[in-house]
Each structure stands twice: as C-alpha cells, then as structure tokens.
Amino acid sequence: MDIASMTVEEISRQVGDKPYRGKQIFNWIHKQLVTSFEEMTDLPKPFREKLKLTYSIGSNLRKLKTVHSADQTTKYLFQAENNTIIESVYMNYHFGGSVCLSTQAGCRMGCVFCASGQNGLERNLAPSELCAQVYNIQREKPKINHVVLMGCGEPLDNYDNTVKFIKLISDENGRQLSRRSITVSTCGLIPQIIKLADEMPAVTLAVSLHAPNDSIRKVLIPAANAFPMPELLRACSYYTHKTRRQVTYEYSMIKGVNDSLINARELAKLLKGSISHVNLIRFNELKGLDLRSSTDDTIRRFADILSGSGIKTTIRRALGSNINAACGQLRNTILASR
Ligand code: SF4
C-alpha cells in the first residue's frame, strides 16, 4: 500500500499505534522528503520494520534525464513503476520557481497540437507520483513556490488523484504549498470544473481555450465535441462566482488557424465582461505536425484587440523552446527509442 498517497488521517487510521504517528510519518514523507522508513528515526525500530512489511513510500521516481535551457528552464524525465515515463519542467520566473507536473502518463484527450496525446493514455498517476515530481526537483531547486498541473495528461480526467495531491502538498504537516499557488489546467471538462469549484475553491483554474468559437475548437480539441463553448463559459462563470477567482484562458497562437484579427474580435466579444485573463502562447511547433506558430507581430496585434476591449491579456514568454519543453515531446522521444 502506498502510504505517500495518504492524508494524515488516513495514515493514522491505517497504522494505528500512537495517535500522533500519522502526523509523524506524514511529516517525514512530505516535509523531510525521506524515501525510506529507516530514515524515520523518531519511530521505534520494531514499528518501522512493521511498516516496511505493509507499506511503500510511493513510487521512487528514478531520474532518467535532465535537459537545461539557456533561460534556466529544466526538463526532467523520470521513470516510475511499471516502466512509466513521466515528464516535468522547472521554470524560473521573477517571482520564484514554478514546476509543471504531469498528472497522467500520456493522455486520451487527443488535442491535435499536443505531443502528450499522440500515444494515447498509458495510465493515471497516483497522488504520491505527483508529489514525488515536486520533491525530486526540490532537492535541486529548493525555491519552488508555484505548481502548475499543465504537463502530460488532463488533470481533471484524473480528478480524484489530482484533488488528493492538492490536499497532500498543501497540508500544514508537510510541504504547506499555498493552494493559491497551484494552477489546475483543463481542456474543458465541465462536470469536473463544477466539482473543483465546490471542493477546491482556492486553486487557480486555467482553461485551454485555443479558439474563439466551437467550429475551430472542435478541430483542435476533440473533447470540445462533448463540451460546447457556451456551456464551458457558463461553468467558468460558476467557478469565478463560487471561488471569487479569475479564470485564466490559455490560447496557443497557431498560424492561419485561430490567429486572425476576426478571431481576436470574436474572442473579445465572447469574454467581454467576464472576470478572466487571457494568456496568448507562442505555439510550440512539433515534428511531423503541419501547424506553425503565429508571428510575434500577429500575436501582438491579437493581444492589442483583446486589451483594447478591456480583457486582461498577457503574451506568455516561451520558456525552454530549445529543449522540447512543450508537454510530451521529450517523453515521446524516449518512447520512440524503446
Ligand atoms: S493538451 Fe492537455 S488535454 Fe490535450 S492532449 Fe495534451 S495533455 Fe491532453
């Protein structure tokens, strides 16, 4: 049994013994970042031996590869149980370090512009495997103060484990990461957005919009066929209403697909009056895919139209573009070489 995926209460219930054991064990795993029961030196030896027989401390991620870029972005490839390959990225911003985590190995959403979905879904990652990505990177980069669930996988397609991870990483007995510093990204799974608003109101929601209307969106994101934009925007309004937090809309700028000035005006009309923020992203071009990034000039003009309509807009810095930093790219190179 994976004790690193359990809350303090669950550990206490499971291991029995003294009432404070749950907190002690949780603290060793999520604060002291130990990976073996031997290191939990304030537990009696016979008790540690007993724990070893029943529990494992998550899956010990093995670092396979690290790739650094000039802008201090670092990409990590980890090997988890069952030979699963996980990809994570560390990014350095003026406000500190941010880690982009994978929530699934692969993805079944099939977005046409994304490398992660090209081989389908292998499996969901456990809460402890999400934590382990942060903790492994933290050993090298101690100043992580933001976590974004925007790597391989659709976090809300692995809803229970995603929510459990947020509980574990923000727990006062462990890493104590503020929930406000956690961003959950989704391609727009409406029922889970509503659920998240009700259960995890402090986290930030980022929605991959990538289009100003359903006809373009359905081509880019097959999941959009089940979740039309008017309903998606209603779910986002509910999120804002419930959480008092603005929703971030991610918009990858793809040449000739979604980047015309007509598209910009359409998007501006759609989002006018909403409490939101648009991130325009330079599209990360993928080998073998006939999609190109919009030019810087087009992105600027697109941004001007949105800003001119009163919509908060940022052009996101393209980090790590020389190291296959778009989600799934590096993982795919390893899978292809097997
Ligand atoms: S963009 Fe996100 S949801 Fe879409 S295929 Fe890639 S990982 Fe999955």
Side-chain angles (χ1 to χ4, degrees):
M1 258 192 286
D2 174 13
I3 205 165
S5 285
M6 295 181 196
T7 60
V8 171
E9 295 71 29
E10 285 168 341
I11 298 175
S12 298
R13 254 199 321 273
Q14 278 285 330
V15 304
D17 201 56
K18 308 274 189 292
Y20 50 82
R21 289 289 184 234
K23 271 190 191 172
Q24 266 180 314
I25 296 170
F26 189 94
N27 183 280
W28 276 115
I29 298 171
H30 296 278
K31 191 156 191 156
Q32 317 296 332
L33 310 189
V34 304
T35 53
S36 72
F37 291 110
E38 280 84 29
E39 294 166 272
M40 302 182 183
T41 46
D42 58 357
L43 302 183
K45 200 153 190 298
F47 183 61
R48 278 183 264 161
E49 293 301 324
K50 219 170 99 190
L51 291 175
K52 257 200 291 190
L53 296 177
T54 317
Y55 304 102
S56 65
I57 304 181
S59 85
N60 269 329
L61 297 189
R62 191 163 72 86
K63 193 165 72 182
L64 291 182
K65 194 169 179 170
T66 339
V67 191
H68 303 278
S69 81
D71 57 19
Q72 299 182 50
T73 297
T74 307
K75 183 154 234 178
Y76 295 85
L77 268 191
F78 297 110
Q79 185 174 33
E81 256 167 45
N82 307 326
N83 217 6
T84 295
I85 305 293
I86 303 178
E87 189 178 298
S88 329
V89 184
Y90 171 85
M91 293 157 293
N92 199 32
Y93 289 104
H94 63 276
F95 55 79
S98 179
V99 176
C100 179
L101 302 184
S102 293
T103 50
Q104 297 178 309
C107 183
R108 62 180 179 143
M109 296 297 134
C111 303
V112 299
F113 49 83
C114 171
S116 297
Q118 283 176 357
N119 296 306
L121 175 67
E122 187 184 325
R123 70 170 172 90
N124 283 332
L125 299 183
S128 63
E129 290 175 314
L130 271 72
C131 290
Q133 293 174 65
V134 180
Y135 302 160
N136 269 279
I137 296 173
Q138 193 178 313
R139 288 189 186 100
E140 288 176 19
K141 319 263 189 196
K143 289 198 178 134
I144 295 168
N145 53 18
H146 203 106
V147 166
V148 294
L149 305 185
M150 231 178 241
C152 288
E154 160 58 60
L156 299 188
D157 190 38
N158 185 14
Y159 184 87
D160 290 344
N161 289 352
T162 292
V163 164
K164 187 76 169 289
F165 159 74
I166 296 168
K167 287 180 184 161
L168 299 179
I169 198 100
S170 59
D171 194 287
E172 59 177 10
N173 299 291
R175 178 62 178 73
Q176 291 182 42
L177 185 72
S178 157
R179 289 189 183 175
R180 288 186 167 266
S181 305
I182 300 172
T183 301
V184 176
S185 161
T186 177
C187 67
L189 307 189
I190 293 174
Q192 289 92 326
I193 290 176
I194 306 278
K195 222 169 149 199
L196 193 73
D198 293 337
E199 293 180 359
M200 279 288 147
V203 300
T204 302
L205 180 70
V207 173
S208 300
L209 203 59
H210 305 314
N213 59 51
D214 263 330
S215 49
I216 298 176
R217 195 159 189 271
K218 284 175 183 175
V219 173
L220 295 174
I221 306 173
N225 283 289
F227 303 114
M229 274 172 91
E231 283 176 36
L232 174 59
L233 294 180
R234 268 200 297 280
C236 292
S237 299
Y238 177 78
Y239 193 90
T240 303
H241 172 75
K242 190 80 203 234
T243 65
R244 308 260 167 246
R245 310 214 71 201
Q246 71 175 12
V247 171
T248 299
Y249 292 109
E250 306 287 334
Y251 197 105
S252 278
M253 295 289 292
I254 309 174
K255 191 175 186 174
V257 175
N258 61 3
D259 68 344
S260 72
L261 300 186
I262 294 173
N263 295 152
R265 286 187 204 105
E266 205 177 353
L267 184 63
K269 198 169 157 201
L270 196 71
L271 299 182
K272 206 169 173 84
S274 67
I275 303 170
S276 61
H277 176 237
V278 175
N279 257 336
L280 296 178
I281 308 156
R282 199 165 205 290
F283 178 63
N284 249 314
E285 296 174 6
L286 298 178
K287 227 194 227 165
L289 198 66
D290 203 17
L291 295 174
R292 297 286 163 261
S293 173
S294 311
T295 62
D296 288 346
D297 193 43
T298 304
I299 298 174
R300 256 194 312 275
R301 279 190 287 159
F302 200 97
D304 287 345
I305 290 179
L306 294 180
S307 304
S309 305
I311 295 169
K312 277 191 254 171
T313 308
T314 309
I315 298 174
R316 206 202 287 159
R317 200 153 59 101
L319 290 176
S321 49
N322 59 336
I323 55 163
N324 290 344
C327 78
Q329 275 180 279
L330 203 57
R331 177 174 181 267
N332 282 0
T333 59
I334 297 280
L335 294 183
S337 67
R338 277 180 172 173

